[in-house]
């Protein structure tokens, strides 16, 4: 067969010369050899001849020094970065002294891993910081706080949601160890402001809360739906952040700055019942014990060396620190001197910051309500078994609401801002009311029971805020002669219509709680903790001081009797006993204080007066049982009894009460035992030099002088035996003479 045309062309192609084309270079022959080469450098610092390795430097089990671990934190492999973090802990556990020299380098190396894209690296760093930060003084961490927060806030806005959530976990750690550094500047352009914007961005709630007008502007362009576990991390951290911010800058009702340091109770709710803050603080001085007094005692000396520079005064004078009487002083400034001298932390509340908190509460309202509605059906199902995550989510929502509305409704902001906040809070409580009191049948989970109890306290406290705010509004309208507007509130305001339902439910809950009864059919009664009792007091006061102009509360008398009965049956060894005595003592003394102008009056309730007589008569018993084991509690009891006896209050100053006090106070000084004879009472165990020794002698002398001289001989003999041969014997003789005169 003849060859095909294709084969003939292929055979001829081997001998044809290829034509050169324009722009194409000359082709190399097929047997040409490529002689080009490439060279690359390899950097081995540890093997360089110019590097002198220090064999004495501490190393890990893998023979890695601190510098080696720092270089590994920049490695491209995530496992190497993770191992470097583990190596830091191993190295520091064996050689803690390295931290003095390498702490700055350690922080610089670790902060870059806060936003690492590998989850295992972030978890390892969080574990390392959790181990490291508690072991370092706060003063040593503070210089590095800006760098730590810079990378953490950057991670809060990362494109990956899991990195944002881990950044929140780092913030929780920093809030625990350097809280002030995290929250500083939350109300202006500071680290706290950027942290808050990061929280709102993760929740898709917006950050333009500082603007007075206009709608809330969202900052997150990516609508990421958080899982319940992730949302719990964010809300729990936000709750801690807000509590830290507002307790430092504004002063929550839960802050110790709202009441004198001597008192364990937070009685901020009593302040509106006084005309001026100075009157309130003067009233609170009754419960200021000698151990917690802020006044300094100075020893008098005839000759003083001017070089000693001892310029401390026994008291603090606020007006002297403020240049009131300057060259341009006016009559108005002179009139304000009394207000300045009586001012305190209450007057330091900044209206601008309170308005920011009000707008922040408005911004977060939809998020809080949506989260509660998502979890409430499964959490509060009567026979259900809710997950711990959902229970904690509901609890975090309640804590945030309590933190925000405590500040807004207690601050001296405009009535319009308070009205808006009251309406928002009423809307929020409206979704919670059908489930209150929160309980779960058949549950044995202690964490769930504690969460439900705290939720009940939060609901009660928020309800008390509404009651106190409405009472203040009624008092304001009444003082301006607008009685018609007051009467129209009951029919025209939805807030007052729903508040009556909430008051009734809260009243029943408090009565059951104080009586120790179960909240539901299958729950046993639980004893109150001091923190839970303190959180109940605003609610109790709101119910006792209810004006009754708009809504009637028929359980005020029952609440008063329950509070007094609870105080009497509380054991003297309990930490709750002092709190109960302080609160009931305030209720008794308020009715006799001329500066008090509240609605609550003890004399209006005859049943309550009889209960108070019984309560006052039982006070020598806890005084004898507590004795020297708790000097502040014993001093408060003694001061209260002295005050009511000196004031000759009609509510308690009756012959039967005084007779009972004299008889029950005898064992405090001397005990007559049937077998062992006369024994010293708790008075002799009080430390020598303690002011309580003379206070109890003052109380005994006042009781003896309250009736005829011939009555009360047993008490006089008991005191004589207790003070014989002591430093107080001469003092006892002197005050007896004064009492007789």
């Amino acid at each position: 067969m003849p060859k095909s045309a294709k084969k003939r062309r292929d055979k001829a192609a081997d001998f044809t010369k290829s034509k050169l084309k324009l722009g194409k270079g000359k082709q190399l022959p097929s047997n040409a050899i490529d002689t080009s080469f490439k060279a690359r450098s390899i950097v081995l610092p540890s093997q360089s001849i110019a590097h002198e390795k220090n064999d004495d430097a501490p190393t890990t089990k893998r023979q890695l020094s601190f510098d080696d671990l720092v270089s590994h934190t920049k490695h491209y492999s995530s496992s190497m970065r993770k191992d470097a973090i583990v190596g830091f802990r191993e190295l520091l556990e064996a050689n803690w002294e390295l931290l003095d020299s390498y702490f700055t380098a350690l922080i610089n190396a670790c902060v870059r891993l806060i936003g690492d894209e590998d989850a295992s690296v972030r978890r390892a760093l969080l574990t390392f910081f959790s181990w490291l930060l508690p072991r370092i003084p706060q003063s040593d961490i503070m210089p590095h706080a800006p760098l730590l927060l810079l990378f953490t806030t950057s991670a809060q806005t990362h494109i990956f949601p899991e990195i944002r959530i881990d950044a929140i976990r780092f913030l929780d750690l920093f809030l625990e160890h350097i809280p002030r550094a995290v929250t500083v500047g939350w109300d202006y352009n500071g680290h706290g402001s950027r942290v808050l914007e990061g929280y709102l961005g993760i929740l898709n709630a917006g950050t333009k809360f500082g603007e007075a007008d206009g709608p809330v502007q969202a900052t997150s362009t990516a609508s990421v739906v958080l899982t319940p576990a992730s949302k719990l991390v964010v809300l729990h951290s936000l709750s801690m952040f807000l509590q830290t911010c507002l307790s430092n800058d504004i002063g929550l009702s839960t802050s110790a700055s709202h009441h004198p340091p001597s008192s364990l109770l937070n009685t901020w709710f009593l302040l509106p019942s006084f005309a001026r803050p100075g009157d309130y603080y003067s009233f609170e001085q009754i419960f200021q014990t000698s151990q917690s007094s802020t006044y300094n005692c100075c020893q008098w000396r005839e000759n003083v060396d001017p070089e000693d520079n001892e310029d401390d005064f026994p008291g603090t004078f606020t007006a002297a620190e403020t240049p009131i009487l300057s060259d341009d002083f006016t009559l108005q400034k002179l009139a304000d001197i009394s207000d300045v001298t009586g001012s305190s932390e209450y007057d330091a509340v900044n209206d601008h910051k309170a308005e920011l908190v009000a707008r922040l509460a408005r911004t977060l309202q939809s998020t809080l309500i949506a989260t509660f509605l998502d979890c409430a059906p499964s959490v509060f199902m009567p026979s259900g078994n809710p997950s711990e995550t959902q229970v904690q989510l509901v609890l975090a929502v309640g804590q945030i609401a309590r933190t925000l509305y405590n500040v807004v409704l207690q601050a001296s902001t405009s009535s319009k801002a308070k009205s808006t906040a009251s309406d928002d809070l009423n809307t929020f409580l409206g979704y919670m009311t059908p489930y209150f009191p929160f309980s779960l049948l058949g549950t044995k989970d202690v964490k769930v029971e504690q969460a439900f109890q705290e939720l009940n306290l939060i609901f009660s406290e928020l309800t008390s805020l509404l009651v106190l705010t409405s009472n203040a509004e009624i008092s304001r309208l009444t003082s301006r002669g607008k009685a018609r507007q007051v009467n129209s509130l009951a029919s025209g305001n939805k807030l007052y219509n729903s508040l009556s339902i909430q008051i009734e439910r809260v009243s029943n809950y408090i009565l059951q709680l104080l009586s120790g009864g179960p909240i539901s059919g299958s729950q046993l009664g639980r004893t109150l903790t001091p923190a839970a009792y303190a959180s109940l007091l605003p609610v109790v006061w709101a119910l006792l001081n209810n004006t009754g102009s708009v809504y009637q509360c028929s359980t005020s008398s029952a609440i008063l009797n329950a509070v007094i009965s609870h105080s009497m049956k509380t054991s003297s060894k309990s930490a709750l006993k002092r709190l109960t005595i302080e609160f009931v003592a305030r209720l008794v003394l308020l009715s006799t204080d001329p500066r008090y102008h509240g609605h609550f009056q003890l004399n209006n309730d005859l049943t309550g007066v009889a209960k108070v007589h019984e309560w006052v008569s039982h006070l020598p018993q806890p005084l004898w049982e507590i004795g020297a084991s708790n000097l502040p509690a014993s001093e408060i009891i003694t001061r209260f009894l002295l005050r009511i006896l000196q004031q000759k209050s009609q509510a308690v100053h009756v012959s039967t009460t005084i007779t009972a006090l004299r008889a029950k106070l005898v064992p405090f000084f001397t005990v007559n035992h049937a077998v062992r004879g006369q024994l010293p009472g708790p008075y002799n165990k009080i430390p020598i030099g303690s002011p309580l020794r003379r206070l109890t002698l003052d109380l005994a002398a006042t009781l003896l002088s309250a009736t005829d001289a011939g009555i009360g001989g047993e008490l006089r003999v008991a005191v004589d035996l207790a003070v014989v041969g002591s430093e107080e014997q001469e003092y006892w003789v002197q005050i007896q003479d004064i009492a007789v005169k």
Side-chain angles (χ1 to χ4, degrees), residues 366-378 394 397 431-432 435:
S366 59
T367 302
L368 299 180
I369 291 177
T371 305
F372 179 82
L373 293 179
D374 290 340
C375 302
S378 59
V394 175
V397 167
Y431 294 106
M432 300 180 69
Y435 303 102

Side-chain angles (χ1 to χ4, degrees), residues 204-225:
N204 294 323
T207 60
K208 298 300 182 181
F209 62 90
E211 308 213 356
D213 300 325
V216 177
Q217 300 181 13
T219 56
S220 179
T221 56
S223 298
V224 179
V225 179

Side-chain angles (χ1 to χ4, degrees), residues 624-694:
W624 183 86
E625 294 175 348
I626 296 173
S629 61
N630 191 347
L631 294 180
S634 299
E635 185 174 347
I636 286 176
I637 296 174
T638 308
R639 285 181 180 274
F640 167 73
L641 291 175
L642 266 175
R643 180 56 60 93
I644 61 174
L645 290 173
Q646 292 169 353
Q647 290 181 346
K648 297 183 179 181
S649 172
Q650 295 180 357
V652 295
H653 194 76
V654 293
S655 58
T656 55
T657 305
I658 295 178
T659 303
L661 289 176
R662 280 201 310 265
K664 294 181 180 180
L665 197 61
V666 171
F668 181 78
F669 295 96
T670 304
V671 178
N672 292 321
H673 195 270
V675 178
R676 302 173 61 182
Q678 291 183 348
L679 298 176
Y683 171 83
N684 288 3
K685 297 182 181 180
I686 300 176
I688 298 176
S690 174
L692 182 59
R693 296 177 70 93
R694 293 197 173 188

Side-chain angles (χ1 to χ4, degrees), residues 583-594:
F583 182 65
V584 178
R586 282 175 170 85
L587 295 180
V588 175
L589 293 176
L590 278 176
S591 300
T592 59
D593 197 307

Side-chain angles (χ1 to χ4, degrees), residues 502-723:
Q502 297 165 0
I503 288 177
E504 182 180 359
R505 295 196 175 194
V506 170
S507 301
N508 295 332
Y509 169 73
I510 291 177
L511 290 175
Q512 292 178 350
L513 197 60
L514 292 178
S515 63
I519 304 302
S520 61
S522 62
Q523 286 183 325
L524 297 177
R526 300 178 63 92
T527 57
L528 279 173
T529 62
Y533 182 82
S535 63
L536 277 180
L537 297 186
V539 193
V540 173
W541 175 251
L543 297 175
L544 293 177
N545 197 43
N546 181 18
T547 58
S549 300
V550 178
Y551 39 80
Q552 298 293 333
C553 184
S554 58
T555 58
S556 297
S557 178
I559 292 290
L560 179 61
N561 292 332
V563 170
I564 298 176
S565 299
H566 177 262
S567 176
M568 293 177 60
K569 70 180 182 181
T570 302
S571 173
S572 300
K573 302 299 181 182
S574 173
L576 193 61
K577 185 67 174 180
R578 176 182 172 181
L579 299 182
T580 62
I581 291 176
E582 283 197 33
F583 182 65
V584 178
R586 282 175 170 85
L587 295 180
V588 175
L589 293 176
L590 278 176
S591 300
T592 59
D593 197 307
R595 298 162 297 184
Y596 167 73
H597 58 79
H599 182 266
F600 169 75
Q601 292 294 335
L602 187 63
N603 299 333
N604 297 337
D605 187 356
L606 298 179
T607 306
V609 171
K611 201 71 175 178
V612 167
H613 291 166
E614 182 181 357
W615 178 79
V616 172
S617 301
H618 105 288
L619 287 180
Q621 178 183 351
L623 181 63
W624 183 86
E625 294 175 348
I626 296 173
S629 61
N630 191 347
L631 294 180
S634 299
E635 185 174 347
I636 286 176
I637 296 174
T638 308
R639 285 181 180 274
F640 167 73
L641 291 175
L642 266 175
R643 180 56 60 93
I644 61 174
L645 290 173
Q646 292 169 353
Q647 290 181 346
K648 297 183 179 181
S649 172
Q650 295 180 357
V652 295
H653 194 76
V654 293
S655 58
T656 55
T657 305
I658 295 178
T659 303
L661 289 176
R662 280 201 310 265
K664 294 181 180 180
L665 197 61
V666 171
F668 181 78
F669 295 96
T670 304
V671 178
N672 292 321
H673 195 270
V675 178
R676 302 173 61 182
Q678 291 183 348
L679 298 176
Y683 171 83
N684 288 3
K685 297 182 181 180
I686 300 176
I688 298 176
S690 174
L692 182 59
R693 296 177 70 93
R694 293 197 173 188
L695 275 177
T696 52
L697 295 180
D698 293 340
L699 175 61
T702 306
L703 284 172
L704 291 174
S705 63
T707 54
D708 297 336
I711 303 177
E714 295 182 2
L715 179 59
R716 182 179 289 103
V717 172
V719 177
D720 291 339
L721 293 174
V723 300

Side-chain angles (χ1 to χ4, degrees), residues 316-446:
T316 56
F317 306 95
T318 309
E321 301 174 0
T322 306
I324 299 176
L325 300 180
S326 56
D327 295 337
D328 58 343
F329 70 91
T330 61
L331 292 177
Q332 182 61 37
K333 288 185 177 180
L334 289 174
D336 293 340
I337 290 181
S338 60
D339 295 335
V340 173
T341 56
S343 63
S344 60
E345 289 85 357
Y346 289 106
D347 301 324
V349 176
N350 191 303
D351 290 342
H352 173 66
K353 294 180 180 179
E355 291 176 0
L356 284 179
V357 178
R359 288 193 286 272
L360 179 59
R362 185 76 173 176
T363 301
L364 288 172
Q365 185 195 21
S366 59
T367 302
L368 299 180
I369 291 177
T371 305
F372 179 82
L373 293 179
D374 290 340
C375 302
S378 59
V379 170
F380 303 119
M381 187 178 298
S383 58
N385 187 17
S387 65
E388 185 178 352
T389 300
Q390 291 182 326
V391 173
Q392 295 299 325
L393 265 176
V394 175
L395 181 59
V397 167
Q399 291 172 342
I400 293 174
R402 176 176 60 182
T403 301
L404 295 175
Y405 289 109
N406 260 328
V407 175
V408 177
L409 297 181
Q410 292 180 32
S412 57
T413 54
S414 62
S415 58
K416 180 180 179 181
K418 283 191 174 183
S419 178
T420 303
S422 299
D423 293 338
D424 293 342
L425 179 57
N426 184 51
T427 302
F428 179 73
L429 291 180
Y431 294 106
M432 300 180 69
T433 302
Y435 303 102
F436 182 82
F438 309 110
S439 59
L440 192 63
L441 298 176
T443 181
K444 297 182 180 179
D445 193 344
V446 178

